[in-house]
Amino acid sequence: MASGGCHCGAIRYSAEGEPRHSSVCHCESCRRTTGALTTAWVGYPREALTVERGAPRSYASSGGVQRQFCGECGTSLFYFNEPAMPGVVDILTATLDQPGAHAPRLHVQMADALPWEATLDDLPKFDRFPG
């Protein structure tokens, strides 16, 4: 079982069983709705998801797509795309209590990737903010 929640704790959820997929999305829609360069998702059968506390708000970001988020703190949580992935809920991997247990297995929507993404590994790295 996987569990997780939003930043403020107003929403808690769990997902039973094995994930169907895990990926990193590079699409513009995910960038704009999460404010992140890329978005890691882990997909479960829709019926595997139980929202245990709170009530996520929904946003129809495009045809047949519903994105759910916390109405208090704004944390993006769930993605439902019935036309492309019927019966599946994608959960934002970073909202899981143990996100490290769900490593992505592929990249999707590379056609929307920003051109400088490929150079990120070449940048200097710091454990925290540079001094």
Side-chain angles (χ1 to χ4, degrees), residues 3-9 11-13 75-77 94-97:
S3 61
C6 66
H7 185 260
C8 73
I11 296 177
R12 292 290 304 163
Y13 66 83
T75 301
S76 294
L77 296 164
T95 68
L96 292 166
D97 294 334

Side-chain angles (χ1 to χ4, degrees), residues 61-122:
S61 62
S62 54
V65 173
Q66 287 289 319
R67 294 174 183 270
Q68 293 187 341
F69 60 96
C70 175
E72 294 297 316
C73 67
T75 301
S76 294
L77 296 164
F78 314 121
Y79 173 85
F80 302 91
N81 185 338
E82 283 301 311
M85 298 181 301
V88 173
V89 57
D90 270 357
I91 299 171
L92 271 133
T93 306
T95 68
L96 292 166
D97 294 334
Q98 297 181 352
H102 300 279
R105 296 184 198 132
L106 57 113
H107 290 267
V108 297
Q109 305 291 1
M110 289 303 296
D112 287 352
L114 296 176
W116 46 263
E117 283 184 47
T119 65
L120 291 176
D121 280 342
D122 299 335

Side-chain angles (χ1 to χ4, degrees), residues 8 18 26-27 30 47 49-50 55-56 74 86 89 93-94 107 125 130-131:
C8 73
E18 291 298 314
H26 297 260
C27 81
C30 282
E47 63 274 6
L49 175 67
T50 301
V89 57
T93 306
H107 290 267
K125 296 173 179 69

